[in-house]
Amino acid sequence: MPNALELTGIRKSFDGFAALTDAHFEARWGEVHALLGENGAGKSSLMNIAAGLYAPEAGRLLVDDNVVRFAGPRDAARHRIGMVHQHFKLVRPFTVAQNILLTAPVPAEFQSHGERLREISRDIRNKASELGFEIDPSKRIDALSIAEQQRVEILKVLLAGARILILDEPTAVLTDQEAARLLQTVQGLARGGSAVVLVTHKMADVKTYADRVTVMRGGRTVATLEPGATSVAELVKLTVGESIATQGFQAAKSPRGPVRLTVRSLRSAASPEGRRVLDGVELELHAGEIYGLAGVGGNGQGELAGAIMGLPDAGGALEGEIHLSGHGDLKAMSAPERRNVGIAAIPADRYGLALAGGLSVAENYAIGRVHTGRYGPAWHLRRGRIQDDTQEAVRAFDVLGVRSVAQKAALLSGGNAQKLVLAREFGKAPSLVLAHSPSRGLDVRASAEVHARLRAARDGGAAVLLISEDLDEVLQLADRVGVMTRGRIAGEFAQPADRQAIGQAMVDHG
């Protein structure tokens, strides 16, 4: 039987940097093939070549054992290849149905736009039901949580007819139950004759669901092997070049301090149907603790984060109180004022909300401090000081891949982009840290570094609010765990927390 997809001897450079030097990969029909590697190992670059987004400088690409050349993603789609990217390719002001209509095959018979949209909506509901998703085809993308947007991306490629599916970190923002359901569905698609490439950093997913695994490091293919015959420790060592122990929960070094943040009766404006995205949130966060907020995506976590950060679209007009000790109600403060009182924010969407990919590393670092006057007036910035500060921060936070602070931030891998965000946000010791899915899409090493920074902030006296749909991350970091459902906190758990009880609370109320 022919291979579904094969890449051999692939080379690719960006801005003089060799992202792929000798990469090989093959996926067979009927299998789930996992692709492992650190951030920056070349996994996404290799899969972007398979999806038609990049053209290789050397090497061959084969589909069904036939050599192909793609002029773009449409060519790849014609060969029934679909990729769900880690950073979504959705038009935010459009509805779910409109986004999927953009990539849907053209019908043989003439249909009006309205007829086609209704047909697409029916297809979405049917496929979503088959996958166990709950998706409203008429809802705008910018009103969906990150987890819901990911589900839309998966529906989009399947409804476009893909039989070779490339999934980049598909379970990064899903709960345990959702992830298991999705991967079981993906496994079923493979057993039905499709080929699935699973780009992931979750070793448990590889061991449980993958038939084979390929490991990449430094732009090269290191090994292809069977997960069942390989230990997790061996996979980690192949991935990062050394063994990194996965740390469990580590309690704070000192007793927690006084209440730093108080959220009382926080409600967003009601929709025409009477639903509130935030519906009476009650929360107390102490200095010197990490409070982990778990929950199924779409239950108000993103809106709560936006309300604390001061984003204008955080659920509309807000009732209730967000009180920061010594500074009063945050709702009355602008975003720059919130930064001035020591609030650091690590948003879930690092490229959409934390970084401007088209600007330089130095500009992305400096923008967090321009309002303080450190770099002079906005019309005559002190570029030398910006460069010096950025270079020092890049060294201190070990941001790799920065050949010059003048290079675009978009050229950084996911882990190093996140470390740049941390360098900026932790440039001054914060009193309150809001971290939303801080290790989403990061490898073992980068995740460990991010977690270490959050623990250090807590041990330095900061109050840390961790919002994450990765229950492993919450249980590793949080001193207390809250479950958020239907716009409110439905329960709290002290450490050591019962994983099953937390998961049940999320399911019972989600």
Side-chain angles (χ1 to χ4, degrees), residues 188-336:
L189 291 169
R191 298 296 176 262
S194 296
V196 178
V197 181
L198 183 65
V199 183
T200 182
H201 295 111
K202 294 189 176 182
M203 298 296 176
D205 291 351
V206 174
K207 295 285 288 182
T208 305
Y209 298 100
D211 300 295
R212 289 191 297 158
V213 55
T214 291
V215 181
M216 292 185 67
R217 191 166 71 239
R220 296 174 177 269
T221 299
V222 175
T224 296
L225 33 82
E226 294 183 4
T230 311
S231 70
V232 169
E234 288 173 313
L235 286 174
V236 171
K237 188 171 183 179
L238 282 170
T239 301
V240 302
E242 60 185 82
S243 182
I244 296 178
T246 300
Q247 296 180 329
F249 171 69
Q250 298 175 34
K253 295 179 179 178
S254 304
R256 70 183 188 180
V259 173
R260 180 71 50 81
L261 179 73
T262 304
V263 179
R264 287 281 178 265
S265 303
L266 189 66
R267 289 180 172 83
S268 56
S271 69
E273 296 79 26
R275 180 177 178 268
R276 297 178 188 268
V277 179
L278 298 175
D279 194 15
V281 179
E282 301 277 344
L283 171 67
E284 282 190 349
L285 174 61
H286 292 252
E289 79 165 343
I290 298 175
Y291 185 100
L293 202 53
V296 178
N299 276 280
Q301 301 97 315
E303 287 77 11
L304 176 60
I308 296 171
M309 290 165 58
L311 298 182
D313 58 349
L318 295 172
E319 303 171 5
E321 182 182 8
I322 309 173
H323 185 273
L324 184 65
S325 179
H327 299 283
D329 193 350
L330 290 180
K331 299 204 313 302
M333 293 186 186
S334 66

Side-chain angles (χ1 to χ4, degrees), residues 98-407:
Q98 288 167 336
N99 269 274
I100 290 178
L101 181 60
L102 291 173
T103 57
V106 178
E109 73 282 359
F110 173 79
Q111 289 180 311
S112 69
H113 178 73
E115 290 173 330
R116 184 66 175 136
L117 207 55
R118 285 191 291 274
E119 181 180 69
I120 287 288
S121 296
R122 286 195 299 271
D123 292 344
I124 291 168
R125 290 190 182 94
N126 291 338
K127 181 61 72 172
S129 176
E130 179 184 324
L131 296 175
F133 295 165
E134 288 187 12
I135 292 291
D136 180 354
S138 65
K139 201 167 184 180
R140 280 173 47 137
I141 297 299
D142 53 15
L144 300 179
S145 71
I146 286 184
E148 290 170 317
Q149 291 178 41
Q150 186 177 55
R151 294 167 202 153
V152 174
E153 284 280 25
I154 292 170
L155 290 170
K156 185 173 72 175
V157 297
L158 290 176
L159 290 173
R163 287 194 65 225
I164 300 174
L165 276 71
I166 303 169
L167 305 177
D168 195 355
E169 298 293 342
T171 65
V173 294
L174 302 182
T175 65
D176 289 359
Q177 293 87 351
E178 288 176 313
R181 188 185 306 123
L182 172 64
L183 291 173
Q184 287 163 6
T185 300
V186 162
Q187 199 172 48
L189 291 169
R191 298 296 176 262
S194 296
V196 178
V197 181
L198 183 65
V199 183
T200 182
H201 295 111
K202 294 189 176 182
M203 298 296 176
D205 291 351
V206 174
K207 295 285 288 182
T208 305
Y209 298 100
D211 300 295
R212 289 191 297 158
V213 55
T214 291
V215 181
M216 292 185 67
R217 191 166 71 239
R220 296 174 177 269
T221 299
V222 175
T224 296
L225 33 82
E226 294 183 4
T230 311
S231 70
V232 169
E234 288 173 313
L235 286 174
V236 171
K237 188 171 183 179
L238 282 170
T239 301
V240 302
E242 60 185 82
S243 182
I244 296 178
T246 300
Q247 296 180 329
F249 171 69
Q250 298 175 34
K253 295 179 179 178
S254 304
R256 70 183 188 180
V259 173
R260 180 71 50 81
L261 179 73
T262 304
V263 179
R264 287 281 178 265
S265 303
L266 189 66
R267 289 180 172 83
S268 56
S271 69
E273 296 79 26
R275 180 177 178 268
R276 297 178 188 268
V277 179
L278 298 175
D279 194 15
V281 179
E282 301 277 344
L283 171 67
E284 282 190 349
L285 174 61
H286 292 252
E289 79 165 343
I290 298 175
Y291 185 100
L293 202 53
V296 178
N299 276 280
Q301 301 97 315
E303 287 77 11
L304 176 60
I308 296 171
M309 290 165 58
L311 298 182
D313 58 349
L318 295 172
E319 303 171 5
E321 182 182 8
I322 309 173
H323 185 273
L324 184 65
S325 179
H327 299 283
D329 193 350
L330 290 180
K331 299 204 313 302
M333 293 186 186
S334 66
E337 287 172 334
R338 296 182 201 211
R339 297 190 68 87
N340 283 337
V341 298
I343 298 179
I346 305 166
D349 184 356
R350 69 182 68 103
Y351 288 106
L353 293 174
L355 295 172
L359 298 183
S360 71
V361 169
E363 288 166 331
N364 273 281
Y365 177 78
I367 199 162
R369 302 177 74 179
V370 165
H371 68 282
T372 67
R374 173 170 175 77
Y375 303 124
W379 59 88
H380 188 62
L381 294 175
R382 299 173 64 179
R383 300 284 178 179
R385 175 171 282 188
I386 290 175
Q387 184 172 5
D388 291 345
D389 282 0
T390 306
Q391 288 172 340
E392 182 180 343
V394 163
R395 285 192 297 271
F397 281 76
D398 194 30
V399 185
L400 304 178
V402 179
R403 297 176 299 283
S404 163
V405 296
Q407 79 182 53

